[in-house]
Amino acid sequence: MDLSDVDDVSVDLWFWPTTPNLGRQSLFSWRPEPDSGLWIGLDNGEAVAQAGGATVSIGPIEERTWHRLTASYGRSGVLKLRIEAVQTTNPSAVRIASTAVPSVGHVSGSRSAEIFFGAEHGGDSATDFYNGKIEAPRVYSTTMTDEHLGLQSDTRDSAKDPLAARDFELGISEWSVTDVSGGGYDGYAINMPMRAATGHNFDGTETAWPHALLHYGVIHFHDDDLFDAGWEPSFSWSVPTDLKSGVYAAHVFTGSSHDYIPFTVRPATGHPSAKVVLLLPTFTYLAYANEQLVNQSDAMSHVDYPVQEQDKYIVENRLLSLYDRHSDGSGVCYSSRLRPIVNMRPQCVMAWLDEGRGSPHNLNADLYIVDGLHEHGTDFDVITDEDLHHEGRAILDPYNVVLTGTHPEYWSLDMIRSTQDYLQSGGRMMYLGGNGMYWVTQLDPSTGASVEIRRRGPSTRMWEPEPGEAHLSATGELGGLWRHRGLAPQSWLGVGFTAETSGPGRPYERRPGSFDDASRFIFHDVDDDVIGDMPNLIQSYGAAGYEFDRADPMLGTPTNTTILATATGFSDDAQACSEEIMTSDSSQSGSVSPLVKNDMVLVEYPNDGAVFSTGSIAWSGCLSQNNYQNNVSTVTCNVLDAFAHDRKDYRLPEDR
């Protein structure tokens, strides 16, 4: 900002600090030269303004309380700071402090400089990051008198024309920040601080930001926000045009250190190479990217952590997933792929699973499906959540059957609607996971490089948004669970999340429906009444486990759903999901709750469409047992062969 001719400067803003006692934090920084400009921030519990070699402070500053702050200095030779704390239970209290500035010329020095909110400009990087909210900041080329401030009810109401002004309620779904003063001093929100946050005037009359924009003129900053690490490419490689669609990895190494960086190759647009497609749940990969859940959960204090090099890197570099909290205790609602994601690696385990021993999860568990497809000799293409989100039903239509990964938990509305349309038109799906299609998720429309959620309850969740902050900044839609928006996975997959356990799983027992003519094809060459009674590569035992699903007509399971098999008898380590609890009691554990069960189902759709659902994250961990000669592998291959066949009726027997 060019303020080289300015003799006076004032800043007026609202702030809501979440860690006011945590060292030096910058609210406003404008430093054309080392001894010029103006800095305003917090320092160990006090509000501080610095200019011209002088410092003035007011304290203490109260945590999670709205404060109106004004600072000014200039030709008068006085640096003044004014703080007004606004609390519900106490009347507003105004505190003013001032001091003489040793020498005053042009307050701006001789050159222009960038203005920072929420951080200090530190040369090649930023420093002194702020934790908390900032609302409606204004910059003036004049000093503001106490009398004038007393006439204003809000920073937006100033009778003076601001030199620069930000109204953060504008462009909430974007990362550019417009200067509403008309001066053209536009800006950018770096590293995705949280938008769609409530302001000082939020009164609860509306809880959706699109309906009350003036209540959401806020950005919530965190000292550990990270969207783009800004790394320069280390190498590049052009994908050969004849390379088969699939899951690959770049093997990088130096000396004794090496790494495998996974990537997918999708088929050329409009040119599928198979009748089967595997939909990798990359939104879920982003949700879990760099999770350090064990490090932030008292309930998992019994687990040794970090357990592997990836965990150490995550903790040391303060990387966060959508399961973690920022340093100020607020939940992480954005997760980007433009940063290191070191736990999305072959052989990397999720620390708290399998009773604290660690277990394959997400990509690593999905590789068991990839391996099974290769072992079965199945030609298949690979696409990702991003592909389905952007291209919709058109990307599914060429395929006879779509396979999910083990844990497709995070889905957007576009993905759900597109897949439902595909199934209604005769498409088929094998839902080979558990706790799928659970959270309302959105891909950032501005960058396409991150996903957003808001963990609104009731739900099984690791954090809760502030009141009024349950709507996604990307679209304004209500966050939380799809079941609370009338799209429970039971309503179109037949089953939905019911319970989870980090202990051993259970086998399924076949139900009468599995012997019907319509479902007989699923159990061809299977003489067992018990399915998945075997060791498991994902957990210690059983094909049903970790996070698993049940059928429930009350949540929309269609009448034309056949329950094929059910797993019961889980230990008390398995607990029914919290969204099922209406009143507090002690009846949620596996030995007593009828909800702690895992159903395997077949859902019939029009035009010979169908969904086969295992409803279990653990299912694929049994595929390779006994060199693939087991009933989990046989059932999977039977359904795959039937669904992938070109014949209209998948139930018809074929030559074997």
Side-chain angles (χ1 to χ4, degrees):
M1 177 178 289
D2 187 0
L3 300 178
S4 56
D5 294 329
V6 171
D7 294 322
D8 302 287
V9 63
S10 299
V11 175
D12 194 11
L13 56 81
W14 291 92
F15 73 99
W16 188 80
T18 51
T19 59
N21 299 309
L22 190 65
R24 182 179 169 92
Q25 303 173 55
S26 180
L27 292 167
F28 171 88
S29 173
W30 169 55
R31 299 281 201 182
E33 294 174 354
D35 294 327
S36 65
L38 177 63
W39 181 87
I40 306 167
L42 304 176
D43 196 350
N44 292 313
E46 294 189 330
V48 178
Q50 295 176 336
T55 299
V56 63
S57 62
I58 295 174
I61 296 300
E62 294 138 10
E63 181 178 328
R64 296 178 178 269
T65 296
W66 278 108
H67 300 76
R68 172 84 176 277
L69 178 151
T70 304
S72 61
Y73 88 113
R75 288 168 293 184
S76 65
V78 175
L79 173 62
K80 181 178 289 187
L81 179 63
R82 179 186 186 275
I83 294 287
E84 179 181 358
V86 180
Q87 296 179 319
T88 303
T89 55
N90 296 318
S92 300
V94 177
R95 291 174 286 176
I96 299 174
S98 62
T99 188
V101 179
S103 61
V104 178
H106 280 305
V107 298
S108 61
S110 60
R111 57 191 176 90
S112 63
E114 292 180 309
I115 283 181
F116 278 64
F117 295 101
E120 164 79 281
H121 191 280
D124 294 333
S125 61
T127 61
D128 298 339
F129 298 103
Y130 165 65
N131 283 319
K133 300 178 180 181
I134 296 177
E135 180 178 5
R138 264 63 176 152
V139 181
Y140 299 91
S141 57
T142 60
T143 56
M144 301 181 71
T145 65
D146 297 340
E147 292 77 13
H148 174 72
L149 288 170
L151 296 175
Q152 296 184 80
S153 61
D154 198 336
T155 56
R156 296 177 179 85
D157 297 335
S158 173
K160 297 186 177 182
D161 293 328
L163 185 67
R166 304 283 189 265
D167 287 345
F168 295 140
E169 70 270 17
L170 304 179
I172 280 178
S173 299
E174 304 171 355
W175 302 106
S176 57
V177 180
T178 303
D179 176 17
V180 296
S181 73
Y185 296 119
D186 297 335
Y188 194 81
I190 299 171
N191 278 329
M192 285 191 170
M194 195 184 86
R195 306 205 67 170
T198 54
H200 79 281
N201 56 352
F202 175 72
D203 60 10
T205 55
E206 285 286 355
T207 56
W209 64 261
H211 301 158
L213 281 178
L214 287 178
H215 291 185
Y216 290 85
V218 166
I219 291 180
H220 188 153
F221 298 88
H222 309 93
D223 62 6
D224 48 16
D225 286 325
L226 179 59
F227 165 66
D228 188 349
W231 287 359
E232 294 296 327
S234 298
F235 71 94
S236 61
W237 176 68
S238 297
V239 179
T241 56
D242 60 349
L243 185 66
K244 180 77 175 68
S245 176
V247 185
Y248 296 86
H251 186 195
V252 295
F253 52 88
T254 175
S256 60
S257 299
H258 70 99
D259 192 11
Y260 289 90
I261 304 172
F263 64 95
T264 63
V265 174
R266 56 169 282 175
T269 302
H271 295 86
S273 64
K275 299 176 181 178
V276 177
V277 65
L278 174 62
L279 174 63
L280 286 184
T282 46
F283 283 7
T284 301
Y285 298 168
L286 278 179
Y288 283 90
N290 301 314
E291 64 83 21
Q292 48 175 299
L293 188 58
V294 173
N295 202 38
Q296 300 202 29
S297 173
D298 293 337
M300 299 175 188
S301 58
H302 65 286
V303 178
D304 290 334
Y305 189 83
V307 298
Q308 55 197 334
E309 289 301 314
Q310 291 91 338
D311 297 326
K312 294 177 182 177
Y313 185 90
I314 288 168
V315 173
E316 290 170 357
N317 291 276
R318 303 177 68 192
L319 301 175
L320 300 172
S321 75
L322 296 183
Y323 286 82
D324 300 314
R325 294 174 180 266
H326 290 288
S327 65
D328 70 351
S330 59
V332 179
C333 63
Y334 307 122
S335 180
S336 163
R337 60 175 171 80
L338 300 180
R339 59 191 179 124
I341 301 178
V342 297
N343 64 344
M344 197 174 77
R345 293 290 192 272
Q347 300 179 332
C348 180
V349 299
M350 189 171 183
W352 69 275
L353 295 179
D354 202 11
E355 299 180 301
R357 290 183 289 269
S359 176
H361 194 238
N362 289 323
L363 172 67
N364 301 327
D366 293 343
L367 291 177
Y368 293 140
I369 298 176
V370 173
D371 181 63
L373 289 169
H374 285 298
E375 181 70 22
H376 186 53
T378 301
D379 288 329
F380 66 99
D381 287 341
V382 175
I383 59 174
T384 68
D385 286 351
E386 286 86 349
D387 297 322
L388 177 57
H389 177 82
H390 285 303
E391 300 181 35
R393 174 182 155 182
I395 201 168
L396 303 180
D397 277 342
Y399 300 101
N400 290 357
V401 57
V402 177
L403 278 62
T404 74
T406 58
H407 191 29
E409 184 176 5
Y410 294 83
W411 271 48
S412 69
L413 181 60
D414 290 336
M415 294 169 63
I416 291 175
R417 292 302 191 205
S418 296
T419 307
Q420 289 176 333
D421 288 347
Y422 164 78
L423 294 169
Q424 291 283 350
S425 66
R428 298 157 188 170
M429 171 178 276
M430 295 178 67
Y431 168 41
L432 299 178
N435 190 9
M437 299 66 171
Y438 185 70
W439 285 107
V440 175
T441 310
Q442 184 57 244
L443 186 70
D444 177 47
S446 180
T447 65
S450 70
V451 293
E452 179 189 4
I453 63 164
R454 302 289 170 113
R455 292 198 185 279
R456 167 181 172 267
S459 61
T460 300
R461 61 203 184 279
M462 304 312 298
W463 53 265
E464 180 88 5
E466 292 286 336
E469 296 181 359
H471 288 251
L472 277 59
S473 64
T475 58
E477 64 185 305
L478 180 63
L481 303 188
W482 281 119
R483 68 180 278 178
H484 297 140
R485 288 179 52 185
L487 288 168
Q490 282 94 338
S491 68
W492 63 287
L493 299 174
V495 294
F497 181 49
T498 189
E500 61 182 313
T501 174
S502 63
R506 296 288 298 157
Y508 300 83
E509 295 184 9
R510 290 178 64 177
R511 298 279 298 276
S514 69
F515 299 96
D516 293 345
D517 289 342
S519 53
R520 194 181 303 275
F521 74 97
I522 297 173
F523 298 94
H524 180 75
D525 285 339
V526 176
D527 297 326
D528 309 308
D529 288 337
V530 176
I531 309 297
D533 180 12
M534 64 189 72
N536 193 305
L537 294 174
I538 294 177
Q539 62 185 40
S540 58
Y541 167 76
Y546 276 152
E547 297 176 10
F548 49 93
D549 304 350
R550 78 174 194 278
D552 190 338
M554 293 292 290
L555 291 172
T557 297
T559 55
N560 53 336
T561 298
T562 302
I563 297 180
L564 305 169
T566 299
T568 58
F570 289 90
S571 72
D572 286 342
D573 178 77
Q575 295 285 316
C577 57
S578 62
E579 54 268 29
E580 302 289 356
I581 301 173
M582 299 299 174
T583 59
S584 298
D585 56 37
S586 57
S587 303
Q588 310 308 320
S589 57
S591 63
V592 295
S593 174
L595 302 180
V596 181
K597 64 176 182 174
N598 185 183
D599 292 321
M600 179 196 306
V601 304
L602 176 68
V603 184
E604 299 179 35
Y605 270 80
N607 305 305
D608 289 300
V611 175
F612 169 75
S613 296
T614 67
S616 166
I617 287 180
W619 176 267
S620 68
C622 290
L623 289 174
S624 64
Q625 292 297 322
N626 193 31
N627 197 27
Y628 291 91
Q629 302 303 306
N630 65 76
N631 52 33
V632 169
S633 180
T634 300
V635 166
T636 304
C637 292
N638 285 343
V639 178
L640 177 62
D641 290 342
F643 278 13
H645 203 282
D646 284 332
R647 64 178 179 271
K648 183 173 176 60
D649 188 349
Y650 55 82
R651 304 171 188 81
L652 294 175
E654 63 175 315
D655 295 335
R656 298 179 186 273

